[in-house]
Amino acid sequence: MARIVMKFGGTSMAGIERIRNVAARVKREWEAGNQVAVVVSAMAGETDRLVGFCKEASPLYDLREYDVVVASGEQVTSGLLAITLQAMGVPARSWLGWQLPIHTSSAHASARINTIDTDALNASLADGHVAVIPGFQGLADDNRVTTLGRGGSDTSAVAVAAAMKADRCDIYTDVDGVYTTDPRIVPRARKLTKVTYEEMLELASVGAKVLQTRSVGLAMKEGVRVRVLSSFEDTHDDDGHRGTLIVGEEEINDVERQLITGIAADKNEAKVTLTNVPDRPGAVAHIFGPLAEGGINVDMIVQNVAHATGSTDVTFTVPRAELARALDLLQKAKAPIGYDALIHDTKIAKVSVVGVGMRSHAGVAATMFDTLGERRINILAITTSEIKVSVLIHEDETELAVRVLHTAYGLDAPEDEAA
């Protein structure tokens, strides 16, 4: 008998027929003798609809009431799945975030999970019941409903798995695993059997949409084994594996390890350049301090060599959705910063290569630069980490860059194995 958390996203829960499909998968695990907790998202498109209502009611809506509204989507699907399971002869009940409870911070619309009380949940599982838990929601110390931010149901599932000491957390989605890159761009992308937490964290942070970044970080911290697999297909690879396992590096042997694990692209970036910033101590702090206070995440940062005039140019990227706020904050801080011009560009994309093999192999960055150079793709900025190299390019060249890099690193599957 195993303890398993099964998480189903919005596409999997989009309508009663799909909910019946989910219930059949849950029933199969329950009939195998496993203790099962299910975490569900709202139906596809439902959260956007509820967010739209909030904006229509008031552009400056109260985030506490916003959480009450948007959390209702998961309440509906959890109740419907419990009803469907019961109709199939599976004892099931729903547990809302406040009923367990799932304790979170008080940062409404972007709360973080602190603890989960599992006594009642464990007792229910021990009695053979399936627990259905709405993702994305929790309870603040003042007993107000909170939500975890978009994609937060992945984090809910991993947190529940950690709290109940589950053997595995299965994330069911509309893809059958993690690929070396987006198969829609590269048809010969390969599905990976295993990926390390670190690699998945980097891939999620640079544009891969399979898992929410926070959920991967939590899984790594708590040692939760995560599997990504399809809600709609029961495909197996040649070794009989389903989906992709996200695990610690110690679970991946040398035969399975490869230099580059995957390539990701992200077009949701905007580039900002401040010209002729005074080259003096504290100048950069005047730039990024206001952005940090405004809750804007800054990614790639490039500071040019100082000009002979004692000034320098500073370039960085922010999420495209945050560009307007970033520009407003920088314009208000122009006097203390002392820049001449504020330039921005939204026609850019970030392309990244990720792999733990970089730690022990030289030349990864050189291969990337040579490959892009041969195709006359201009690099606007570069950042690196221990297992990642990212470049900023014009967005029109994104798909070409991904395809040629995928080939250059030997990631293409044989034609008869292509996705």
Side-chain angles (χ1 to χ4, degrees):
M1 180 182 71
R3 278 196 159 192
I4 299 174
V5 172
M6 305 172 71
K7 184 267 176 178
F8 293 90
T11 305
S12 307
M13 304 297 294
I16 295 298
E17 283 307 311
R18 290 194 174 181
I19 290 175
R20 287 196 180 102
N21 175 62
V22 167
R25 292 179 180 276
V26 173
K27 182 180 181 180
R28 185 170 61 193
E29 293 288 358
W30 176 78
E31 288 180 335
N34 297 318
Q35 292 185 349
V36 182
V38 187
V39 175
V40 296
S41 297
M43 293 185 186
E46 180 64 8
T47 302
D48 287 336
R49 187 178 76 91
L50 295 171
V51 170
F53 284 150
C54 291
K55 291 179 178 178
E56 187 176 348
S58 172
L60 298 175
Y61 49 75
D62 184 335
L63 286 176
R64 295 167 297 185
E65 302 304 339
Y66 164 92
D67 277 353
V68 172
V69 174
V70 298
S72 65
E74 282 74 14
Q75 179 170 327
V76 170
T77 50
S78 59
L80 288 174
L81 180 56
I83 291 171
T84 306
L85 285 167
Q86 291 167 6
M88 292 181 172
V90 179
R93 69 152 289 185
S94 62
W95 296 83
L96 301 186
W98 60 269
Q99 291 175 312
L100 285 174
I102 298 173
H103 298 285
T104 74
S105 67
S106 297
H108 288 274
S110 59
R112 291 187 175 271
I113 295 174
N114 294 327
T115 60
I116 300 178
D117 293 347
T118 58
D119 290 346
L121 176 62
N122 287 334
S124 179
L125 293 173
D127 287 339
H129 293 183
V130 170
V132 184
I133 303 167
F136 181 57
Q137 66 174 243
L139 189 71
D141 289 341
D142 60 0
N143 287 331
R144 298 205 66 147
V145 171
T146 58
T147 62
L148 310 182
R150 300 308 293 264
S153 292
D154 285 350
T155 301
S156 297
V158 173
V160 168
M164 59 184 271
K165 296 180 171 53
D167 296 281
R168 192 178 68 244
C169 179
D170 287 345
I171 306 288
Y172 286 83
T173 181
D174 51 2
V175 295
D176 62 347
V178 179
Y179 280 75
T180 48
T181 196
D182 188 339
R184 293 170 298 182
I185 298 175
V186 182
R188 292 174 67 183
R190 291 185 292 110
K191 183 167 72 72
L192 300 164
T193 301
K194 292 180 181 178
V195 179
T196 70
Y197 293 125
E198 287 180 278
E199 289 169 325
M200 194 67 239
L201 191 59
E202 290 282 18
L203 286 168
S205 70
V206 295
K209 301 296 191 294
V210 179
L211 289 173
Q212 188 208 42
T213 306
R214 279 170 58 188
S215 70
V216 182
L218 181 60
M220 182 166 64
K221 174 177 175 288
E222 300 292 339
V224 176
R225 301 175 83 248
V226 176
R227 183 170 62 161
V228 178
L229 63 171
S230 172
S231 294
F232 309 107
E233 300 176 7
D234 286 320
T235 55
H236 296 72
D237 59 25
D238 292 340
D239 296 322
H241 298 111
R242 292 175 61 214
T244 300
L245 275 172
I246 317 298
V247 294
E249 194 171 342
E250 67 281 357
E251 285 199 46
I252 300 180
N253 60 45
D254 291 336
V255 175
E256 296 171 311
R257 196 180 307 280
Q258 51 193 20
L259 175 60
I260 297 300
T261 297
I263 298 171
D266 187 0
K267 292 185 178 181
N268 297 311
E269 299 262 333
K271 179 167 69 78
V272 178
T273 299
L274 284 71
T275 65
N276 291 324
V277 176
D279 185 28
R280 60 171 182 254
V284 173
H286 286 305
I287 298 173
F288 298 111
L291 297 177
E293 292 173 5
I296 296 174
N297 292 321
V298 175
D299 187 12
M300 307 175 81
I301 302 174
V302 177
Q303 181 172 340
N304 296 333
V305 176
H307 306 308
T309 56
S311 63
T312 184
D313 296 341
V314 178
T315 297
F316 55 92
T317 60
V318 297
R320 194 173 294 184
E322 300 286 358
L323 176 62
R325 287 205 306 129
L327 295 177
D328 180 59
L329 291 168
L330 292 169
Q331 287 165 355
K332 290 176 180 177
K334 182 174 183 178
I337 297 172
Y339 63 85
D340 278 355
L342 180 59
I343 305 168
H344 68 276
D345 183 5
T346 58
K347 301 294 184 180
I348 53 102
K350 179 172 64 179
V351 176
S352 306
V353 296
V354 176
V356 293
M358 292 186 196
R359 290 176 177 151
S360 54
H361 291 79
V364 172
T367 298
M368 186 180 200
F369 304 152
D370 288 344
T371 302
L372 296 178
E374 289 171 1
R375 292 304 184 106
R376 304 185 67 80
I377 297 173
N378 189 40
I379 297 173
L380 306 174
I382 303 166
T383 58
T384 65
S385 73
E386 190 178 22
I387 63 170
K388 176 194 72 179
V389 181
S390 297
V391 296
L392 209 62
I393 62 174
H394 193 279
E395 69 172 1
D396 291 345
E397 298 173 316
T398 306
E399 293 190 4
L400 174 61
V402 170
R403 287 195 296 269
V404 297
L405 289 171
H406 198 268
T407 299
Y409 288 110
L411 297 176
D412 292 350
E415 290 190 16
D416 59 345
E417 297 179 16

